[in-house]
Amino acid sequence: MRRGNYGFDAPWALAGLVLGGLALLGLGAVSFVFDVPAAGVVFLLGGLYTLASAGSHLYTTRRGKFAVWAGELDRLKGDERLLDLGCGRGAVLLLAAGRLPEGRAVGADMWRSRDQSGNTGRVTRANAAAEGVSVELVTADMRDLPFGDGAFDVVVSSLALHHVHDAEERARAVREAYRVLRPGGLILVADLWHTAAYEDILRDLGMVNVRRRDLGWRYWYGGPWANMWMLAGEKPVEGR
């Protein structure tokens, strides 16, 4: 069980699913009252499906994503310097920090609440204290990171890159992630959309052992139509 307070991812989407499901159930009830059973059944089924989607979204944001990332981060040795791009309230950042007794976890974010409820550096620091870990937080745009080349052994990002709406600007963010990664370092990017484009960019940069896969039902934001993909790769070492 996590001890921090991690809010809700895309709270507007979750609210829309809940309200939409309730509205459909209401329309179903009205249809039955006015003796239009066919419409009532359609509205009822639609409402139940929409509420089930809300349940999927809620499970992912409160439980599922933690389980998935815990498995991904088990590959850490414990002495790495890790950067989380778009760290938000620290869901992934603090999981990583707990696995780095001899390393360091750094989180970078612009702290926008429309991307995650209550998204502020203050909340992330409070969560770090609750989890009993130490992290470094930096206010920074992932397209222009204030770190030197090869500064990190691992770069991770979860549900953040797609918030950059322009394709070229997203490509710039991916190139920045590559730049600050040391040779031999690992990148892990989980996102809803554009992961095939991220993969192409990393391959063009020379990334090796690049893999992209569906993360499954524990990372659905409502259903299989809103599934997450994980992109992993390693920065090549000169001479190998």
Side-chain angles (χ1 to χ4, degrees):
M1 294 292 293
R2 308 304 299 164
R3 292 183 289 273
N5 181 1
Y6 297 98
F8 299 89
D9 299 329
W12 51 268
L14 178 59
L17 288 170
V18 171
L19 293 175
L22 294 175
L24 287 169
L25 292 181
L27 289 171
V30 170
S31 297
F32 285 117
V33 167
F34 285 93
D35 197 25
V36 189
V41 169
V42 171
F43 284 131
L44 176 62
L45 293 176
L48 292 175
Y49 179 83
T50 304
L51 289 178
S53 295
S56 167
H57 186 127
L58 182 62
Y59 169 79
T60 290
T61 195
R62 304 297 286 184
R63 295 273 189 255
K65 68 180 180 183
F66 294 99
V68 171
W69 271 104
E72 295 294 329
L73 295 171
D74 279 345
R75 70 185 78 191
L76 297 177
K77 299 191 296 292
D79 61 353
E80 295 93 341
R81 183 170 169 82
L82 175 145
L83 173 66
D84 184 358
L85 296 176
C87 66
R89 297 173 67 145
V92 177
L93 177 68
L94 304 184
L95 279 174
R99 289 163 168 74
L100 298 172
E102 299 175 9
R104 186 66 173 167
V106 179
D109 206 306
M110 295 294 288
W111 317 112
R112 291 189 290 243
S113 60
R114 71 171 179 266
D115 301 336
Q116 184 182 54
S117 63
N119 186 14
T120 69
R122 177 184 56 79
V123 171
T124 309
R125 291 186 183 90
N127 283 342
E131 301 290 358
V133 297
S134 175
V135 297
E136 177 183 344
L137 299 181
V138 178
T139 299
D141 189 325
M142 68 181 74
R143 296 166 295 182
D144 187 20
L145 296 171
F147 308 111
D149 296 353
F152 296 93
D153 303 294
V154 182
V155 175
V156 302
S157 183
S158 178
L159 205 65
L161 284 172
H162 76 267
H163 290 299
V164 179
H165 298 297
D166 180 77
E168 180 49 41
E169 292 301 297
R170 287 193 298 272
R172 183 179 169 189
V174 174
R175 289 192 291 267
E176 275 289 271
Y178 183 87
R179 179 185 67 79
V180 302
L181 189 65
R182 70 161 175 81
L186 172 71
I187 190 168
L188 295 170
V189 175
D191 214 341
L192 281 164
W193 304 294
H194 314 303
T195 52
Y198 308 157
E199 179 181 7
D200 290 341
I201 295 163
L202 290 177
R203 289 187 184 278
D204 288 344
L205 288 168
M207 208 88 176
V208 297
N209 299 324
V210 179
R211 304 171 303 282
R212 188 174 69 95
R213 72 184 195 284
D214 188 330
L215 288 173
W217 67 271
R218 291 182 300 177
Y219 227 142
W220 286 354
Y221 281 96
W225 41 267
N227 60 319
M228 290 281 283
W229 293 82
M230 177 64 76
L231 177 64
E234 298 169 14
K235 191 169 184 176
V237 178
E238 297 248 348
R240 292 189 186 177

